[in-house]
């Protein structure tokens, strides 16, 4: 056979790309001048998406404005990546839900209808019953339980996204607490009426916000509790916590700190003249990497376990595995 | 990954390759990436594009960009233009990746002016990157259009883009032997830019500067490489370099700003406490002025095999000559007798120097800065710390510049060659290590190309240029 490349028209692709596009050219030229900045940003994003960058497919006007207000190129990139990932997670969740629904429909066809309603109502009654049991316990804790304070005075040190993350972590913490055998009496202190914290809480809890069995106040914990009973938990504290004290009131700073502001909560405790403590992470764990500050829900798990068992090893199981490579074997 | 073919392929051959690939939907993308990596001849890439265009009736944007990258890599100017034309027909606007490639590719060709047009186009949709400007400036100066290059350079500075040393060097390289007072003024301006941003040119850049000076027609400039004496005198032209001292006004400004921004910051409690800081202030005010302030904890680690208090003891003895008034900053834990801190030695030291012991959780560097700055312009300080985090607390660049100048002139560092038993210190420079001029002389510090440089270390090599 002959050399195949001789038959090839290597520039044929150009003809294909150029064909039938002349009408559009004149159209775009007239359009160009009237493009508003918001639309222009949308166009750029579309091009970035075509170029294969991490960009969300759908973007709201509000998000587009936030994007345009990002102070630097890298900030823009980061924000887009965040939106992109959020979109991916959402899509994945939706796909899983759909699959689940399909599976359920399939099984429903096999099982007779009467059985199903029976089981459904049983599940419903059981869930309702558990909710009441939890509420009863938390109500008990509001009278007799050990207080645990979340200090809501760090809004000024955080970005909007950090505040949202913080509240998300507290919501998780509160739900763990509600489900535990012996819950804390949770106090949200320094929570101001017009704060971003509060806005986020209402967004997360909706109408349940008013019915939560916790104490919310705009007062400082120093006004609510005797000073000598308070211990501020902070990773920057020079003092290491030895045992969990059931007579003390522990304070956790409601702060997510992505931009390395060391010593903020320690400064707060120093200012108020409070005792401080850090978890004995190094005493029990062979630390490998990562910051010593833990998320608020991890703190809640650890404190609840300590309260119930006093067992450090058990409590520190809640430190993320990637941060340490094992437990210190005691001599 | 896949190995790109060596010759253009027919449609069915591409199809066969595609089917043998484990994820066929990504085949073209992966293939183009590997073509870029292997620098495959563009005819092969063209045959794939033709295959894609025939089978799908269209070519995706990201494939076009990858093809463009291949063309730029191989300097295929006419292809670059063709791709640009096609992209302009198909898309309303292009994104930065394509523009970067187009500008880079065209600026290196005889159609470099087209790169300038594209730069204008980029400006309509975003701020061009510094490499966009770099390509255009280099292209203009390569074609001896220095005015154009200078305009672009100013435009880039006005957009807060930081020029690379490469671009700056290009100005000197391509202006060699050219006449014109305006151009000369611009290049002097670049040297002043180096001065203001405390940038030290590397060896080859320095050579470009020297050659340019010597090439100025009728300029009679001569350059020599030299080392400056400790006294600050240039051995070539006997010129005395600028003193490292700050003016009274600069010094006062810096002092106030450091106390405000670094020590107090947003919250005094983060680094110390108001009570402690007040106690320290009273302590310092009652004993002023000091000649040398020592970061005790930092110094105590100089020789790791020695006891920490012995290291400190040696340092204090070494610096205590000539009745200098010393202040040693420490932390309270140093006062507790331990294997590293012996009470007798600590007591003996306290006869030779004043000591202030801060709380164990306070940051003593803040105290170091305060005590030194309160003692006055003559006072020096000793630490191996780079003080980078403190410089970062200063909000504006002018203050950071002053801080660096003050640091250069007042930080005493350990000599690296101290292999013996004794501790040696390098005195702080009495002259300032920055690009400087008197009009008919220029003195330019430079570094060897890949030399590691810490903020307290300054180059010791200089280019001396004088007009005869």
């Amino acid at each position: 056979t002959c050399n195949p490349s001789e038959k090839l028209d290597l520039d044929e692709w150009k003809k294909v790309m150029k064909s039938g596009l002349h009408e559009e050219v004149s159209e775009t030229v007239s359009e160009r001048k009237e493009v508003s900045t918001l639309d222009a940003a949308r166009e750029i994003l579309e091009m970035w998406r075509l170029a294969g960058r991490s960009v969300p497919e759908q973007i709201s006007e509000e998000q587009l404005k936030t994007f345009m207000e990002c102070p630097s190129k890298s900030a823009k990139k980061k924000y887009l990546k965040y939106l992109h990932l959020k979109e991916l997670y959402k899509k994945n969740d939706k796909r899983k839900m759909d699959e689940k629904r399909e599976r359920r429909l399939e099984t429903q066809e096999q099982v007779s209808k009467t059985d199903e309603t029976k089981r459904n109502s049983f599940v419903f009654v059981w869930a309702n019953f558990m909710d009441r049991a939890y509420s009863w316990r938390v109500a008990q804790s509001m009278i007799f339980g050990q207080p645990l304070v979340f200090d809501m005075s760090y809004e000024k040190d955080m970005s909007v996204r950090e505040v949202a993350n913080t509240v998300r972590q507290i919501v998780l913490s509160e739900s763990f607490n509600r489900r535990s055998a012996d819950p804390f009496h949770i106090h949200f202190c320094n929570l101001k009426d017009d704060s971003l914290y509060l806005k986020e809480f209402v967004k997360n809890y909706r109408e349940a916000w008013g019915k939560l069995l916790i104490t919310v106040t705009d007062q400082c914990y120093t006004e609510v509790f005797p000073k000598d009973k308070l211990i501020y938990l902070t990773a920057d504290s020079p003092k290491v916590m030895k045992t969990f004290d059931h007579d003390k009131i522990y304070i956790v700073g409601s702060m997510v700190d992505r931009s390395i502001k060391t010593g903020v909560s320690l400064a707060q405790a120093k200012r108020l003249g409070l005792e401080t403590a850090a978890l004995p992470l190094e005493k029990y764990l062979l630390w490998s990497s990562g910051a010593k500050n833990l998320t608020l829900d991890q703190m809640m798990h650890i404190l609840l376990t300590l309260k119930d068992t006093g067992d450090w090893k058990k409590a520190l199981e809640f430190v993320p595995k990637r941060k340490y490579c094992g437990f210190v074997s005691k001599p | 990954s896949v190995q790109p073919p060596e010759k253009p392929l027919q449609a069915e051959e591409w199809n066969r390759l595609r089917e043998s690939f484990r994820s066929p939907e990504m085949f073209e993308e992966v293939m183009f990436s590997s073509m870029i990596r292997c620098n495959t001849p563009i005819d092969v890439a063209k045959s794939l594009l033709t295959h894609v265009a025939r089978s799908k009736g269209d070519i995706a944007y990201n494939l076009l960009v990858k093809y463009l990258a291949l063309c730029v890599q191989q300097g295929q100017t006419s292809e670059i233009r063709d791709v640009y034309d096609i992209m302009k027909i198909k898309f309303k606007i292009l994104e930065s990746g394509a523009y970067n490639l187009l500008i880079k590719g065209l600026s290196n060709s005889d159609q470099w002016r087209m790169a300038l047009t594209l730069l204008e186009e980029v400006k309509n949709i975003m701020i061009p990157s510094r490499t966009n400007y770099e390509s255009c400036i280099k292209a203009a100066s390569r074609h001896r259009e220095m005015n154009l290059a200078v305009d672009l350079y100013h435009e880039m500075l006005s957009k807060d883009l930081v020029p690379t040393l490469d671009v700056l060097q290009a100005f000197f390289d391509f202006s060699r032997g050219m006449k014109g007072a305006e151009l000369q003024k611009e290049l002097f301006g670049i040297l002043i830019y180096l001065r203001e941003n405390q940038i030290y040119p590397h060896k080859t850049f320095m050579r470009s500067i020297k050659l340019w000076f010597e090439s100025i027609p009728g300029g009679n400039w001569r350059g020599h490489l030299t080392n400056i004496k400790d006294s600050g005198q240039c051995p070539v032209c006997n010129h005395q370099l600028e003193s490292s001292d700050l003016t009274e006004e600069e010094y006062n400004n810096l002092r106030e700003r450091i106390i405000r921004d670094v020590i107090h910051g947003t919250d005094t409690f983060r680094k110390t406490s108001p009570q402690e800081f007040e106690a320290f202030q009273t302590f310092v005010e009652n004993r002023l002025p000091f000649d040398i302030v020592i970061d005790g904890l930092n110094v105590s680690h100089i020789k790791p095999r020695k006891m920490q208090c012995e290291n400190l003891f040696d340092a204090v003895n070494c610096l205590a000559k000539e009745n200098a008034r010393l202040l040693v900053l420490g932390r309270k834990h140093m006062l507790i007798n331990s294997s590293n801190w012996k009470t007798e030695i600590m007591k003996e030291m306290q006869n030779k120097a004043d000591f202030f012991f801060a709380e164990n959780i306070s940051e003593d560097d803040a105290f170091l800065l305060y005590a030194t700055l309160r003692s006055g312009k003559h006072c020096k300080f000793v630490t191996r710390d780079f003080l980078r985090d403190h410089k970062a607390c200063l909000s504006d660049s002018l203050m950071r510049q002053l801080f660096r100048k003050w640091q250069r002139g007042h930080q005493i560092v350990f000599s690296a060659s101290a292999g013996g038993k004794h501790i040696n210190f390098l005195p702080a420079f009495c002259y300032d290590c920055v690009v400087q001029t008197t009009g008919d002389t220029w003195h330019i510090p430079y570094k060897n190309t890949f030399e590691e440089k810490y903020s307290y270390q300054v180059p010791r090599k200089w280019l001396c240029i004088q007009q005869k």
Side-chain angles (χ1 to χ4, degrees):
Chain A
T1 56
C2 61
N3 184 357
S5 67
E6 276 173 279
K7 281 193 236 158
L8 269 173
D9 175 7
L10 290 173
D11 285 331
E12 192 185 324
W13 62 278
K14 294 182 189 169
K15 284 172 220 153
V16 175
M17 295 298 279
K18 283 179 182 169
S19 65
L21 283 161
H22 295 287
E23 318 83 88
E24 274 179 52
V25 180
S26 53
E27 190 188 328
T28 50
V29 168
S30 60
E31 253 176 60
R32 283 295 300 149
K33 284 169 197 154
E34 292 148 42
V35 172
S36 76
T37 46
L38 222 55
D39 290 339
R42 217 177 265 282
E43 270 178 39
I44 291 183
L45 286 192
E46 175 58 17
M47 291 314 290
W48 283 357
R49 204 179 60 75
L50 289 180
R53 296 213 216 168
S54 300
V55 171
E57 280 176 33
Q58 306 287 333
I59 189 164
S60 71
E61 196 141 303
E62 199 180 329
Q63 288 169 334
L64 206 58
K65 273 180 192 150
T66 317
F67 162 74
M68 283 159 67
E69 279 159 13
C70 286
S72 67
K73 271 186 191 175
S74 63
K76 280 188 173 133
K77 236 188 243 173
K78 254 188 214 159
Y79 182 64
L80 288 179
K81 192 165 180 195
Y82 156 73
L83 291 180
H84 173 68
L85 287 177
K86 211 168 118 182
E87 196 175 54
L88 275 185
Y89 289 138
K90 226 177 179 172
K91 254 190 213 162
N92 249 340
D93 285 350
K94 196 178 172 304
R95 189 176 48 81
K96 276 184 201 155
M97 288 283 279
D98 289 346
E99 278 171 14
K100 215 171 163 184
R101 191 176 307 128
E102 231 161 79
R103 265 204 307 272
R104 205 170 44 217
L105 282 174
E106 268 169 40
T107 47
Q108 226 163 31
E109 278 166 23
Q110 289 157 11
V111 184
S112 78
K113 264 189 185 165
T114 44
D115 271 4
E116 185 56 22
T117 39
K118 250 185 213 166
R119 212 179 54 149
N120 258 346
S121 61
F122 174 70
V123 168
F124 180 73
V125 170
W126 176 249
N128 209 357
F129 169 73
M130 282 312 286
D131 273 349
R132 282 186 196 199
Y134 290 144
S135 298
W136 171 247
R137 265 192 241 152
V138 186
Q140 288 280 318
S141 85
M142 283 193 74
I143 308 168
F144 306 112
Q146 182 177 6
L148 177 71
V149 176
F150 284 91
D151 180 3
M152 307 285 179
S153 59
Y154 296 104
E155 209 169 286
K156 57 183 184 330
D157 297 304
M158 290 189 280
S159 68
V160 178
R161 243 171 85 193
E162 283 171 335
V163 174
N165 284 339
T166 305
V167 167
R168 185 86 209 111
Q169 289 179 11
I170 294 175
V171 170
L172 279 176
S173 309
E174 187 272 322
S175 88
F176 295 143
N177 186 59
R178 196 189 323 148
R179 282 165 177 71
S180 73
D182 180 19
F184 282 107
H185 175 191
I186 293 179
H187 284 69
F188 292 169
C189 289
N190 291 323
L191 186 64
K192 304 284 179 261
D193 273 344
D194 52 349
S195 64
L196 200 53
Y197 278 123
L198 188 64
K199 230 166 128 193
E200 284 292 328
F201 274 124
V202 174
K203 211 184 197 176
N204 272 280
Y205 280 111
R206 296 178 200 193
E207 58 275 17
W209 170 247
K211 296 179 208 147
L212 282 184
L213 294 170
I214 54 171
T215 299
V216 177
T217 170
D218 63 351
Q219 282 185 306
C220 185
Y221 30 87
T222 48
E223 296 167 291
V224 182
F225 301 106
K227 250 189 182 182
D228 57 330
K229 288 245 174 188
L230 294 169
I231 297 183
Y232 212 114
L233 293 175
T234 162
D236 295 323
S237 172
K239 289 199 194 91
V240 174
M241 193 170 161
K242 285 209 177 70
T243 51
F244 182 87
D245 192 336
H246 295 269
D247 294 325
K248 294 281 186 191
I249 296 149
Y250 291 98
I251 307 166
V252 179
S254 304
M255 178 175 176
V256 168
D257 172 19
R258 287 171 183 275
S259 56
I260 329 158
K261 294 182 209 97
T262 40
V264 175
S265 54
L266 183 63
Q268 169 89 339
K270 275 204 280 183
R271 183 175 10 250
L272 297 167
L274 299 178
E275 205 183 310
T276 62
L279 294 182
L281 297 176
E282 300 209 292
K283 191 177 161 200
Y284 290 97
L285 303 175
L286 297 162
W287 201 261
S288 51
S289 68
K292 297 272 167 59
N293 49 357
L294 302 174
T295 61
L296 300 168
D297 47 307
Q298 285 158 10
M299 281 305 279
M300 179 58 99
H301 273 307
I302 291 171
L303 291 173
L304 279 170
T305 314
L306 281 177
K307 185 151 77 77
D308 289 348
T309 66
D311 184 344
W312 278 107
K313 209 181 150 190
K314 227 172 169 177
L316 295 181
E317 292 274 359
F318 290 102
V319 175
K321 297 276 180 291
R322 69 191 140 82
K323 290 194 177 185
Y324 64 96
C325 46
F327 281 88
V328 175
S329 50
K330 278 277 155 201
Chain B
S1 70
V2 287
Q3 190 65 30
E6 283 162 20
K7 285 199 182 107
L9 299 187
Q10 295 284 8
E12 52 279 18
E13 292 171 301
W14 280 120
N15 267 335
R16 229 173 293 138
L17 261 184
R18 188 175 196 272
E19 274 151 29
S20 68
F21 190 63
R22 67 195 128 70
S23 39
E25 68 285 353
M26 308 232 327
F27 173 72
E28 287 86 8
E29 213 180 322
V30 175
M31 180 54 86
F32 269 111
S33 296
S34 102
M35 283 180 187
I36 295 170
R37 202 173 46 247
C38 304
N39 206 15
T40 306
I42 59 163
D43 280 352
V44 181
K46 278 180 172 180
S47 80
L48 179 54
L49 283 180
T50 298
H51 171 59
V52 173
R54 259 195 218 154
S55 53
K56 294 184 184 157
D58 192 19
I59 297 168
Y61 181 77
N62 64 336
L63 292 189
L64 286 176
V65 173
K66 288 209 153 122
Y67 175 65
L68 185 60
L70 188 66
C71 296
V72 170
Q73 195 168 292
Q74 299 178 9
Q76 303 278 357
T77 312
S78 71
E79 277 306 300
I80 296 173
R81 292 216 48 164
D82 281 353
V83 177
Y84 173 68
D85 289 341
I86 287 168
M87 281 181 163
K88 280 306 275 185
I89 296 171
K90 288 224 42 144
F91 305 101
K92 273 190 191 173
I93 57 165
L94 309 184
E95 49 70 69
S96 49
Y99 275 123
N100 286 346
L101 287 166
L102 288 167
I103 290 176
K104 189 175 160 209
L106 291 169
S107 67
N108 282 323
S109 74
D110 51 352
Q111 300 190 31
W112 63 277
R113 277 181 199 281
M114 173 90 185
L116 298 176
T117 321
L118 286 171
L119 185 68
E120 290 304 313
E121 220 174 288
V122 175
K123 276 191 243 166
N124 288 333
I125 54 170
M126 61 193 138
I127 298 173
S129 68
R130 72 171 185 172
T131 47
N132 290 160
Y133 276 104
E134 186 171 337
S135 304
C136 293
I137 291 173
K138 276 189 178 166
S141 40
R142 202 179 300 120
H143 294 87
R144 298 259 156 169
E145 298 232 6
M146 298 316 290
N147 287 340
L148 180 60
V150 165
D151 286 347
L152 288 168
Y153 170 66
H154 285 301
E155 191 179 304
M156 134 180 224
L157 290 185
S158 73
K159 290 187 156 80
D160 283 331
L161 296 170
V162 179
T164 56
L165 287 187
D166 236 29
V167 161
L168 302 181
Q169 190 181 348
F171 275 106
F172 287 93
D173 282 337
F174 293 113
S175 307
R176 204 173 291 163
M178 280 173 98
K179 258 191 162 163
E182 272 303 304
L183 182 62
Q184 262 180 52
K185 223 175 91 193
E186 286 298 340
L187 295 196
F188 288 154
I190 291 176
L191 292 175
I192 299 297
Y193 176 86
L194 297 182
R195 173 191 169 85
E196 282 170 357
N197 294 284
Q198 347 239 334
I199 299 166
Y200 304 116
H202 49 74
K203 216 170 181 172
T204 49
F205 187 5
M206 176 278 296
R207 222 168 263 141
S208 300
I209 297 173
K210 181 171 180 284
L211 287 173
W212 172 73
F213 266 105
E214 289 171 344
S215 78
I216 298 174
N220 285 324
W221 290 95
R222 279 289 152 272
H224 298 275
L225 307 189
T226 182
N227 294 307
I228 301 293
K229 294 177 195 166
D230 282 347
S231 65
Q233 204 181 38
C234 171
V236 181
C237 64
N238 292 324
H239 173 72
Q240 181 69 34
L241 292 192
E242 270 174 56
S243 154
S244 62
D245 285 340
L246 278 65
T247 67
E248 211 62 47
E249 199 193 338
E250 285 174 335
Y251 187 80
N252 291 337
N253 271 341
L254 180 69
R255 186 174 65 192
E256 264 150 46
R257 287 294 290 279
I258 286 190
I259 291 169
R260 199 187 75 195
D261 294 353
V262 179
I263 298 175
H264 291 303
T266 46
D267 186 351
T268 316
F269 283 98
R270 278 174 71 176
K271 283 173 182 164
T272 168
S273 67
Q275 294 91 328
E276 188 183 34
F277 190 63
E278 221 174 276
F280 177 67
Q281 274 178 311
T282 328
F283 175 90
V284 171
E285 302 303 322
N286 287 336
R287 290 167 179 76
L288 281 175
F290 298 103
D291 298 315
I292 301 172
V293 182
I294 302 165
D295 180 348
L297 216 50
N298 186 294
V299 167
S300 72
H301 290 287
I302 310 179
K303 287 181 191 269
R305 293 226 187 116
K306 264 189 160 177
M307 218 193 295
Q308 288 179 20
C309 67
E310 275 184 340
N311 274 327
L312 184 58
F313 189 67
D314 289 347
V316 168
N317 276 335
C318 178
L319 293 162
K321 287 166 201 154
E322 293 146 25
N323 292 323
R325 284 183 56 85
L326 304 183
L327 169 63
V328 181
L329 296 171
R331 296 226 177 110
K332 289 210 166 131
H333 74 78
M334 294 164 138
L335 287 171
I336 300 163
N337 201 23
S338 68
S339 59
N340 260 319
W341 299 98
K342 296 282 171 228
T343 313
E344 320 89 74
I345 300 180
M346 287 304 286
K347 278 218 174 99
E348 207 183 327
M349 269 191 274
Q350 277 165 286
N351 293 328
K352 298 187 177 185
D354 280 313
F355 275 73
F356 183 85
F357 298 98
E359 290 297 329
N360 295 338
I361 55 170
S362 293
E363 277 189 41
D364 46 6
D365 326 355
F367 293 143
L368 178 86
L369 292 175
Y370 180 81
T372 314
L373 286 162
R374 274 299 287 142
S375 292
K377 280 163 75 174
H378 75 287
C379 183
K380 309 272 197 289
F381 64 94
V382 186
T383 177
R384 279 184 303 178
D385 201 283
F386 308 137
L387 306 178
R388 264 177 277 189
D389 42 349
H390 300 296
K391 195 179 69 202
C393 291
L394 292 169
S395 44
D396 64 285
S397 66
L398 182 71
M399 274 302 142
R400 272 184 230 165
Q401 236 179 82
L402 281 182
F403 184 81
R404 287 276 292 276
K405 181 171 177 178
W406 177 73
Q407 192 185 1
R408 282 197 297 268
H410 292 82
Q411 184 164 12
I412 298 175
V413 295
F414 311 102
S415 100
S417 59
K421 286 172 199 152
H422 295 290
I423 295 175
N424 278 316
F425 293 97
L426 294 175
F429 287 106
C430 67
Y431 59 90
D432 193 18
C433 190
V434 282
V435 174
Q436 45 194 280
T437 179
T438 57
D440 56 355
T441 64
W442 281 88
H443 286 89
I444 298 165
Y446 67 93
K447 52 182 186 188
N448 287 332
T449 314
F450 295 114
E451 213 170 32
E452 182 83 55
K453 197 177 72 62
Y454 298 117
S455 63
Y456 64 76
Q457 280 181 337
V458 288
R460 312 213 130 226
K461 293 178 172 166
W462 289 72
L463 168 65
C464 158
I465 298 168
Q466 48 177 331
Q467 201 167 23
K468 282 274 151 64

